[in-house]
Structures are given as C-alpha cells and as structure tokens.
Amino acid sequence: MPSYRDFRPTLRFQPILALSADCSQIAYADDASGQFNLTVRPVVGGPERRVTDFSTHTVRKASWHPDGRTLIFQADQNGDERTQLYAIAAEGGEPTPLTDVTGAQFTLGYGAPVSPDGKYLTYVGNDRSRADQDILVRDLTTGEVNRIYEGDGRLALGHWSPDGSRLSMALWREGYDHVVHILPASGGPTKRLTSDEAVAAYWLGPWLPDGSGFIVRSNAGREFTGLAVIDADSGELTWIDTPDWDVEAVALSADGRTLVWVVNVGGASQLRGRDLRTGTDLPMPELPLGQADAISVSADGAFAVVLLSTPTRPWNAAAIDLVTGQVRWLTDSVPGVADPATFVDPILVHYPTHDGRQVPAYLYLPAGATSDLGVLLSIHGGPVYQERPAYVYDGFYQYLVSHGVAVLAPNARGSSGYGKTYEKLVFRDWGGGDLGDFAASAQWLREQDWVDPARLGLFGASYGAFGVLSCLARLPEMDWAAGVDLFGPSNLVTLAEATPPAFRALVADVIGDPDTDAEMLLSRSPITYVDQIRAPLFVLQGANDPRVPRGESDQLVERLRARGVEVRYDVYPDEGHGFVKSENQIKARSDAADFLIERLNPEAARTAAAGA
C-alpha cells in the first residue's frame, strides 16, 4: 500500500506570492531545497530561479523593490519566529541583513514595504521593548533608521500612500479590536480615523490613487467582514461589498481601477471584482472548489496571480485572466506518486450541538465503504481558523482515506468564516462550549450506521491539540481509540505564563490571565484531568516552539508515563511551532498517520506491513 510520502506534494509553498512592479515576475517561498527558500519565476512561463539557499532559515514573507531588481524578505531560524529582514538581488546572491538584533522580531507590513520612490523601507520591530511594537523607517541608501512611532502593545502596519508621505496603521487592542490611524512617514502625531464607539476589526488594504482613502476589510457594525473604503480625512466607511460571508483578501491594480477580492463562502473561495472608475461589477471567473490565498492584480487589471488549492490538488501558483477567466498554472506541485483520480472530495455536513447551534464540518469518506469505518475527528488550530476544502495537511486526509479511515473535520465555535459572534464564543472559554461541540461531533459520528464507534480517533495541532487532549481527558466515556497531539497546550496557566511579552495582552483576552484567572484556567486544562486519559497517545513537539513551549508536552508525557499509559513522544530539535523542514514534516505526518491507521483500521495497517 502507498505511504504518506506518495501523497505529499512535490513542492510546498508559504502563503506568500509577490508580483513585480512590471508584472513580469512572481516571487514566492517553496521548499524544493527541503527548507522554504525564495524563488522567482516569469509570469509568462519559464524556469524558476532559486534566490536564497538557506538550510536553517525559513522565508516567511517577501516583497519586491519598485525597481524590480531587489527583493526584501523576512526569515526566522529553526522556527524561533524571531524574524529578521534581508535584501537580496532578484538574480540571487548573498542576502544583506537589514536587521540583526538578538531576541527581537522584525516584520513587514500588509503592503509593499518600500516607498513608491524606492528610497525608504518601513517595518515593525520590538527591539526597543519586547512587549511593544514600533514602526521604523530605514533609508535604503545610507542605512539610517528612524523610529517614527513608538507603540504600546501590538500594531499592524499597512501601506504607503501613493505620494509616499503617509502610512496606514492599526493599533490592536483586546481581542480583535483595531484602531486605525494615519502616520506621517517622517514621524509626528498620528491622525485617528476610527472611534471607540464599537469594537471592530480593520484589515488594512491599498490606498486609492488620489490618496483620499484606502481599502479596508472590516466587520464594523456587521457580523461578517465586508469590504469598504475608509476616508483618509473623516474615517467614514463607504461599503463596496457586504456579503453574509467574510471577505478574506483584496488586491487593487496599480492604476487604481481594478479591484479584486476573495469571499469565503462556507469555506470555499469565490472571486469578485469591480471597476472603481465606473462603479460597475466585473464578471469574474468561477474558481474550482477550494481555497485561494495571496492574491495580487497586474498593473493594468488584466490578470491576477494567486495561490490555489483544492481537496484533490496541492497548493500552486496560478495566473487568472480576468477577461477570459482562463486559469493558467504557474507551478506544478503534484502528489508524489498517488493518483489524484483516486482522491475524494469532502462532503459539507451540519449537525446540532449542545446549545442548539449547528456545527459545520467537512467529511471525507473512503470510496465504496459503507460500514464499520474507523473515523478520525480532526480539530483545527487557531482557534480562529477554519477547515477549508483544500489539500489539507499536504495530503494527510487523502492518505488516511486511502487506508479506509474516514475523516470528520469540524468548524466548531471559535472558527473563522461564520461571523464574529461565532468566532468569539471561544474567547476566554477554551475547554468550555468548544468541548461541547467536539462531544457533539463524536456523538453524531457514533449515530451514523457506517461508523464503528469503537474506532474513533483524534488529531490536532496547537489549539487543535488542546482540543484533542481535552477530549481524551474530559470525555473518556467516548472510548477514544487513539489521539495525536502536535505541540498542544496541556496547562493553560503555564501556557499563558510562558507567552512572549508582545502577545500577553492578547492571550489574556482570548484565553485568560494567569494571575487573575488561574482557577478557571486550571479547571479547563487537560493536565487537571490527565488521570482520566487511557487511550494511546502520540505527542509531537518542536524544541524551539515560542508559542506552545516544550514544557507543555513534557509535563503531560511525564504524568502519562507515570501511570503506564501508552504514549509516544517525539521532539524535533530544529523546529518551532509547526514543522517547516521537509523531511521533518514528512516523518512527523507519516508517523502520525501510521499510528492512527494501526488503531483505526488495523486490517489496512497489517496489509501495509505485509507489503512493506
């Protein structure tokens, strides 16, 4: 039988895709070398060019200099998330460090970080105070750095105004409450555009060509994230699109005419567009069922470039002709050996939970199977994230299905994509209502006549692994067959106490304050109920994880082993939060999948072992 490696894509991508100013080239980060490095490829087709050659660094974001000859990018080392900034010639060579402060993190903003005249680079850094983020501007000729804004907490940097005189920015307050400002590029007092009247999120988009305002995605006064223009003088919002779904990405052509955005419709991406000069909606091509990310539009609005994935096709870069609707694939990442014709598309199902809400979930069923199936309940991370109809976990679901294991992937409360009320139900309630949703998922499965109730497994990473541990420890009556925990929190108090300074306020708002909420946090922590875990467990952990430190897994494993519970514990010394090195990820997912197959479909596991 096939191995997980057969399903894994021949190439993986970071969620970044940058279009050069002349629209002739795209830059992205792929793992052809085994590590995410920067690559450049002509839009019209032709061979790719490897620009960086890191073995320990991971390229996380990249942008073109307006001259088209240089790329600015950020990268961290061994998953530590302390990203530093670099410049490198688009033809390749040795990268030039632009920041180098031990322990600090520097990040690029939402928009192109270099000023329209090509002279200045703007970015965010916490080098002054690890708990606070500042905005800095670097003269790319002299190297002089000017700290134009000293922050008090977290912030988001937006885009340069067309004349290079201003920058958009948003201060992040509790939860997802953002306050939008305009900052002079030379420093000085900011101009506040949004008020305290209502809590709202604002995701900053490109400026209009005349500098009168800029595009934002916001849920101000709404349940879902819509698309609007915010006036640069009054802060007034003029809505462009207000669907009963979230607008999740937006791009504007350099001539300011063609606006294209992506709407998340029940998890599937839908493309929409408008001619801003005439105000008329543009006919947009229908995307295949799947997910789109990292969209950019050519200067003349003729085409867009985007990363696309479907349930049966890995992520790839594509160019979409906005006139004909033709989709032309720019990269060709495919499953290693497995035949996509044998893959399955998920079914969108809904079922009731404990408080009358309906939980949406994607169900992957092995072809032709009708009874006695083992099923994996896969809990996504975040929790503000969403299961999407894409090539999830680089073929992990398809591999399990090929071995006769079904997968149910719910979007429990806390998931994005279903409105801010649903999303915020999990805030300061980890292990509360969400655990009820996971119980409802398991109960729904147990009621299906094609399910073997004795073979229900659990899988999750980060918050998803917290869900796994919560189910194992607090719902033992479900008689779980197995669980896989990838870098999951086991103790919410120690997790919150270990949070990096810049994120402590956010953690207090979303999870709880370890000083004032310790009793509540302990009552929701899997470690409190660890003596009720009896199912076999596989724990995977990155030694350099800054978000869920290794201690979260250490304390759990120690307690389980002391009781004689079957637990496998693999620590990866060169990884952080989420495994990025190719061979590490292949091994981790192969081992996790085979651990699950052995317990959820033992017959398939025996067949695979016999054929090995």
Side-chain angles (χ1 to χ4, degrees), residues 383-404:
V384 182
Y385 193 67
Q386 185 184 18
E387 281 286 346
R388 309 291 296 272
Y391 201 60
V392 182
Y393 294 120
D394 296 322
F396 187 78
Y397 290 175
Q398 298 290 354
Y399 175 58
L400 291 173
V401 168
S402 76
H403 283 70

Side-chain angles (χ1 to χ4, degrees), residues 233-469:
D233 290 323
S234 67
E236 180 181 359
L237 291 176
T238 301
W239 292 100
I240 296 171
D241 193 14
T242 55
D244 288 335
W245 298 102
D246 285 342
V247 176
E248 59 183 5
V250 62
L252 180 64
S253 60
D255 63 9
R257 180 164 189 164
T258 304
L259 185 71
V260 177
W261 61 98
V262 180
V263 180
N264 175 346
V265 180
S269 293
Q270 181 186 95
L271 207 58
R272 300 187 184 183
R274 180 167 298 177
D275 184 325
L276 292 185
R277 293 183 187 173
T278 65
T280 58
D281 288 341
L282 299 172
M284 287 285 114
E286 183 176 349
L287 298 178
L289 175 70
Q291 182 181 356
D293 201 355
I295 191 168
S296 296
V297 178
S298 65
D300 61 0
F303 68 90
V305 293
V306 66
L307 289 173
L308 282 176
S309 176
T310 74
T312 61
R313 181 167 189 147
W315 287 96
N316 277 287
I320 303 173
D321 189 308
L322 296 179
V323 177
T324 67
Q326 179 185 6
V327 176
R328 180 167 53 86
W329 297 99
L330 302 177
T331 58
D332 188 27
S333 178
V334 296
V337 174
D339 181 3
T342 66
F343 296 172
V344 302
D345 283 315
I347 304 164
L348 182 60
V349 299
H350 297 79
Y351 44 84
T353 188
H354 55 92
D355 58 0
R357 290 181 170 85
Q358 293 284 312
V359 176
Y362 282 102
L363 175 64
Y364 296 75
L365 284 173
T370 58
S371 63
D372 296 326
L373 288 180
V375 186
L376 180 69
L377 178 60
S378 179
I379 303 173
H380 69 66
V384 182
Y385 193 67
Q386 185 184 18
E387 281 286 346
R388 309 291 296 272
Y391 201 60
V392 182
Y393 294 120
D394 296 322
F396 187 78
Y397 290 175
Q398 298 290 354
Y399 175 58
L400 291 173
V401 168
S402 76
H403 283 70
V405 176
V407 178
L408 182 71
N411 280 310
R413 67 192 63 211
S415 300
S416 56
Y418 305 96
K420 61 186 179 184
T421 298
Y422 192 75
E423 186 175 291
K424 292 184 176 181
L425 285 173
V426 79
F427 282 20
R428 296 177 63 84
D429 192 39
W430 285 34
D434 54 348
L435 185 62
D437 290 352
F438 304 145
S441 301
Q443 186 58 39
W444 182 81
L445 285 171
R446 294 169 72 90
E447 293 169 356
Q448 307 308 305
D449 58 12
W450 47 268
V451 172
D452 180 350
R455 290 190 283 152
L456 296 185
L458 291 156
F459 173 89
S462 192
Y463 164 81
F466 169 81
V468 167
L469 296 177

Side-chain angles (χ1 to χ4, degrees), residues 159-236:
H159 298 242
W160 287 92
S161 64
D163 64 1
S165 67
R166 296 168 291 171
L167 292 158
S168 57
M169 59 175 283
L171 305 182
W172 286 37
R173 302 190 299 187
E174 62 182 44
Y176 288 88
D177 181 17
H178 305 160
V179 182
V180 181
H181 291 249
I182 293 176
L183 172 67
S186 58
T190 67
K191 180 180 179 62
R192 180 171 175 165
L193 296 184
T194 57
S195 70
D196 287 323
E197 292 179 4
V199 173
Y202 294 88
W203 308 101
L204 308 176
W207 287 72
L208 300 180
D210 61 4
S212 62
F214 48 91
I215 306 295
V216 293
R217 296 183 296 114
S218 178
N219 58 16
R222 306 191 68 251
E223 182 65 28
F224 293 90
T225 299
L227 189 67
V229 172
I230 188 168
D231 189 277
D233 290 323
S234 67
E236 180 181 359

